[in-house]
Amino acid sequence: MASIHERPKTVAICENCTRPVAARLLNDGTLLPIGGKRCACGSSSYRGRARDR
C-alpha cells in the first residue's frame, strides 16, 4: 500500500467559502487537505475541481 505522501496532489475547494487548498487524492476519491482537515473558515467539507473527477 502506498504511503500518504505518494498519493497524487490536487486542489480541493471548500464547500463553504470556496477557498482552494492543496490536498491528496485517496484511492476511494476522498480528498485529504494537506496541513489540516479544517479550512480557515472552519468547514471540513471539500469538493474536487471538475477536471479532477
Side-chain angles (χ1 to χ4, degrees):
M1 181 182 225
S3 79
I4 192 68
H5 300 290
E6 296 172 358
R7 302 287 182 201
K9 291 180 185 175
T10 188
V11 175
I13 307 297
C14 175
E15 290 187 335
N16 184 54
C17 71
T18 68
R19 180 186 306 235
V21 297
R24 300 262 182 199
L25 183 60
L26 304 183
N27 286 342
D28 65 359
T30 301
L31 292 165
L32 184 62
I34 298 171
K37 292 186 178 183
R38 295 210 175 269
C39 179
C41 74
S43 178
S44 61
S45 296
Y46 296 93
R47 62 179 166 81
R49 296 180 303 177
R51 71 178 176 149
D52 291 337
R53 295 181 192 177

